[in-house]
Amino acid sequence: MSSHPKVGERLASIKHVVLVLSGKGGVGKSSCTVQLALSLVNQGHRVGVLDIDLCGPSIPRMLGVESHQIHQASSGWVPVYADSDKRLSCMSIAFLLPSRDSSVVWRGPKKNAMIKLFLSDVYWGELDYLLIDTPPGTSDEHLAVVEYLQEWNPDGAVIITTPQAVALADVKKEINFCEKVGLPILGLVENMSGFVCPHCAECTNVFSTGGGEGLAKHMDISFLGRAPIDPNLVMLLEQEDKTLVPNVNEPKENEDEREKTASIVETYQRCELSKIFSVIAKHLEEKLDEKATAS
């Protein structure tokens, strides 16, 4: 008999469940989750993003849906959609807080209860991918989500790191956590691997480069790719209107003249990083195909 039957009911209509982890904060895990989701949607998939970073929820703001409301239907909580085609949906505690500045001061049991509620009560509908954005480290939230998902065999985790040694040391702990709880590692992404100049497009290795790839080889896990810092992506994720094509070289007073798109899914395709994450998303799909074939 299932320990968490309602969780199983929700997951039954979802093809792939992928956790996004990082060993430490500040490595761009949430922005990588958003870019992975946007890339998968652009490749024709239906994607949901569950934000369980309860103390620092940022996914709604990055997707431009922070001011939206979630609704209760007979089938459960209805997630917020980030595009008109309803191919990209999102659920986060940010939708339940009175303001952006409101803090969540909860002990472990209350966090665990909220994560279980998200997994059992959100009606995602038919999804190809559910990406679960987690807080940094290996805390209550990670143990709770793994416990609730484990009997339903989640596909595994994508681990985000930056190339410098201090971040890589913490990533080793995250890899060890995955091994201890039996969570498969689908691959590693090296984020902030260089800085792309918005004027000449030259890439400078601010934090060095290659550390994540070297660690992946050393730990015998798949390396999904590396992504530099791109000021235009930062501009897109920070601006309120996600339909404006970002251009850091354009004076702010000329904002009315900037090109507009239908949604953030299309706007993101105008960023150079979209090409890189398109490849990372394809590598992830290949890894999942290999896993399915092996089983």
Side-chain angles (χ1 to χ4, degrees), residues 31-84:
S31 65
C32 285
T33 302
V34 166
Q35 291 185 86
L36 197 54
L38 291 168
S39 299
L40 289 167
V41 169
N42 188 58
Q43 290 168 14
H45 299 294
R46 289 187 179 275
V47 181
V49 181
L50 175 57
D51 182 1
I52 64 165
D53 191 347
L54 301 179
C55 295
S58 55
I59 297 293
R61 182 177 181 180
M62 290 183 180
L63 289 176
V65 294
E66 191 177 27
S67 61
H68 292 218
Q69 299 285 320
I70 54 174
H71 302 285
Q72 182 80 37
S74 58
S75 51
W77 281 352
V78 179
V80 171
Y81 292 94
D83 64 324
S84 57

Side-chain angles (χ1 to χ4, degrees), residues 2 90 97 115 130 205 246 250 281 283:
S2 170
C90 169
L97 299 176
I115 290 170
L130 176 62
N205 294 323
E250 188 79 17
H283 286 167

Side-chain angles (χ1 to χ4, degrees), residues 68-289:
H68 292 218
Q69 299 285 320
I70 54 174
H71 302 285
Q72 182 80 37
S74 58
S75 51
W77 281 352
V78 179
V80 171
Y81 292 94
D83 64 324
S84 57
D85 295 330
K86 295 189 175 182
R87 302 187 69 84
L88 177 57
S89 53
C90 169
M91 179 56 72
S92 171
I93 196 172
F95 297 127
L96 306 174
L97 299 176
S99 77
R100 178 188 292 177
D101 299 326
S102 299
S103 61
V104 174
V105 188
W106 290 353
R107 295 188 187 275
K110 198 164 184 181
K111 289 182 178 181
N112 295 353
M114 178 55 72
I115 290 170
K116 186 177 182 180
L117 196 64
F118 279 151
L119 291 172
S120 61
D121 281 26
V122 177
Y123 178 68
W124 297 99
E126 298 284 336
L127 286 183
D128 296 305
Y129 288 87
L130 176 62
L131 304 181
I132 302 179
D133 187 56
T134 66
T138 55
S139 57
D140 286 332
E141 292 92 331
H142 303 83
L143 292 170
V145 74
V146 169
E147 177 192 340
Y148 297 137
L149 291 175
Q150 205 153 38
E151 66 182 292
W152 311 108
N153 297 318
D155 290 273
V158 171
I159 298 178
I160 311 298
T161 186
T162 49
Q164 67 268 44
V166 67
L168 296 174
D170 286 332
V171 164
K172 289 179 182 177
K173 298 171 187 173
E174 198 75 36
I175 293 169
N176 181 252
F177 166 82
C178 292
E179 291 170 347
K180 283 184 175 179
V181 299
L183 183 66
I185 299 172
L186 299 171
L188 183 144
V189 175
E190 181 180 305
N191 196 32
M192 303 184 190
S193 185
F195 168 80
V196 178
C197 175
H199 301 288
C200 67
E202 182 179 346
C203 187
T204 304
N205 294 323
V206 181
F207 300 125
S208 77
T209 188
E213 185 173 12
L215 177 65
K217 287 179 181 176
H218 176 70
M219 304 292 285
D220 194 27
I221 60 178
S222 297
F223 182 67
L224 299 178
R226 63 169 59 90
I229 300 169
D230 183 353
N232 280 323
L233 174 76
V234 176
M235 187 175 185
L236 171 61
L237 298 183
E238 289 287 325
Q239 67 189 22
E240 289 188 15
D241 187 352
K242 305 299 182 181
T243 65
L244 287 173
V245 176
N247 183 354
V248 294
N249 295 321
E250 188 79 17
K252 192 165 185 180
E253 54 268 24
N254 294 352
E255 190 171 279
D256 292 341
E257 300 173 12
R258 277 165 59 191
E259 185 183 356
K260 296 196 78 171
T261 69
S263 73
I264 187 173
V265 176
E266 187 179 336
T267 309
Y268 177 62
Q269 297 310 306
R270 310 298 179 89
C271 296
E272 285 299 310
L273 270 182
S274 68
K275 299 171 186 174
I276 293 172
F277 266 86
S278 175
V279 175
I280 290 173
K282 285 175 181 173
H283 286 167
L284 174 61
E285 288 187 87
E286 290 167 3
K287 184 67 180 176
L288 290 168
D289 289 342

